[in-house]
Amino acid sequence: MKWQGRRQSDNMEDRRGLGSTGKVVAGGGLIGIIILLINIFGGESAQNLAPILEQMQQGQSAPTESRELTAKEKEEGEFVNALLVDNEDVWTEIFKENGWTYKAPKLVLFSGQVSTACGGASSASGPFYCPGDQKVYMDMTFFDELKSKFGAKGGDFAVAYVVAHEIGHHVQTLLGTSAKMRQMQQGLSEAEANKLSVALELQADFYAGVWTHYNEQMKQILEPGDIEEALSAANAVGDDAIQKKMQGQVVPDSFTHGTSEQRMYWFNKGFKSGDIKQGDTFAEIR
């Protein structure tokens, strides 16, 4: 995608390279990445993984010294910042068209571990949105895992899709959708509650597609292969694809994020329509 030359947003925090002392997840993150991909793109629910990771992985307390970012890391930071700017511009416009006021989230890049208003997290948690502080958290090593271990094509627009999906969770927070879903989940069976979680995640995919539609109209950022990169990432993180790969069988009642087909469908619908009002993913489970 075409991203160079963007203005830089003040809403990004780059914590990579900063020294810290605390729990360091050991063992290469293998267990963590499995849990991550079962719970991927989980918005608020991603933070429930922190206690599990603490129990399942042996860690050690160790200090880390501050270091200079590499040239690659600096370029990654500039790219993610450009994506953040594009999301700010698009969602400000969409909210304005609907008579709403958009409040942009912060985006935090980190390495290894991070403290948030939703609790501590490691890189194994994957990208996530914390409603408590209205920030998106990302460790860029996630994208290497997504490509090398789970078959996604990779590429810059795969990153764009993930960022847009997580900011989609922020949109849901601003519109009250997330809070309403949590209320609806109360008293339901696990299977029924999971269906609501799936609807929330698919709507975030839809919003990622809407963002892509608007961003292309406003800035003509797409290049050949970009949409395929996004769809490849969506396909790789479908619940059915992950379960089949990791446990050899598919258990639909345990789905929390949607199948590969659903995730690709809703991203595509958002991209082709560009209409935020067509994203009622909850209608399918009513």
Side-chain angles (χ1 to χ4, degrees):
M1 64 177 291
K2 303 170 185 175
W3 63 270
Q4 288 86 355
R6 296 280 196 279
R7 65 178 172 84
Q8 293 291 283
S9 172
D10 294 330
N11 288 319
M12 193 178 90
E13 302 174 26
D14 196 339
R15 301 183 190 175
R16 299 172 301 169
L18 298 180
S20 64
T21 301
K23 201 71 169 179
V24 179
V25 175
L30 179 58
I31 296 175
I33 199 69
I34 293 173
I35 298 172
L36 152 67
L37 287 170
I38 294 175
N39 296 275
I40 200 156
F41 302 151
E44 304 97 2
S45 63
Q47 296 317 300
N48 295 330
L49 296 178
I52 299 174
L53 292 172
E54 288 290 333
Q55 294 174 13
M56 295 185 67
Q57 293 182 301
Q58 295 297 318
Q60 57 184 351
S61 294
T64 58
E65 295 182 356
S66 299
R67 62 174 179 80
E68 180 73 18
L69 296 180
T70 66
K72 177 183 177 182
E73 288 173 325
K74 291 178 181 178
E75 183 177 30
E76 287 175 340
E78 292 174 0
F79 172 53
V80 172
N81 196 306
L83 295 176
L84 186 58
V85 166
D86 287 346
N87 274 273
E88 291 170 355
D89 291 346
V90 165
W91 286 110
T92 296
E93 179 63 24
I94 292 174
F95 271 51
K96 181 179 179 181
E97 290 176 358
N98 287 276
W100 310 325
T101 300
Y102 183 67
K103 178 184 176 183
K106 301 282 188 178
L107 189 149
V108 178
L109 293 180
F110 72 96
S111 297
Q113 57 199 347
V114 68
S115 296
T116 82
C118 298
S122 75
S123 57
S125 298
F128 63 91
Y129 170 74
C130 172
D133 53 24
Q134 297 193 359
K135 294 181 180 181
V136 174
Y137 293 87
M138 293 177 56
D139 185 324
M140 297 300 290
T141 59
F142 163 79
F143 297 99
D144 294 331
E145 299 278 4
L146 189 63
K147 182 178 179 180
S148 64
K149 286 185 168 60
F150 297 94
K153 287 184 178 180
D156 53 11
F157 212 78
V159 181
Y161 158 67
V162 171
V163 171
H165 174 102
E166 297 305 335
I167 292 180
H169 283 305
H170 178 65
V171 171
Q172 291 169 327
T173 295
L174 295 180
L175 296 180
T177 309
S178 299
K180 183 178 179 180
M181 185 214 70
R182 288 193 295 272
Q183 292 177 346
M184 293 169 63
Q185 284 180 319
Q186 294 178 8
L188 296 179
S189 67
E190 182 178 354
E192 291 301 312
N194 284 345
K195 290 180 181 179
L196 291 172
S197 177
V198 167
L200 192 75
E201 295 300 325
L202 294 179
Q203 189 179 68
D205 283 330
F206 172 81
Y207 287 160
V210 170
W211 168 78
T212 304
H213 174 94
Y214 266 75
N215 207 27
E216 173 62 9
Q217 294 297 313
M218 293 167 63
K219 302 183 180 182
Q220 293 81 50
I221 52 94
L222 292 180
E223 294 181 314
D226 281 346
I227 297 301
E228 288 74 13
E229 290 175 2
L231 291 174
S232 177
N235 179 70
V237 296
D239 282 324
D240 53 341
I242 294 166
Q243 288 187 356
K244 186 174 182 180
K245 186 176 185 66
M246 304 314 302
Q247 59 194 43
Q249 61 179 342
V250 175
V251 185
D253 282 348
S254 68
F255 289 173
T256 57
H257 294 73
T259 66
S260 296
E261 182 179 2
Q262 287 175 315
R263 301 198 74 162
M264 291 188 292
Y265 169 81
W266 282 104
F267 173 84
N268 250 330
K269 184 173 182 178
F271 172 59
K272 291 178 179 178
S273 71
D275 183 0
I276 191 174
K277 296 179 180 178
Q278 293 189 33
D280 187 3
T281 54
F282 293 87
E284 294 189 357
I285 60 174
R286 288 174 186 153

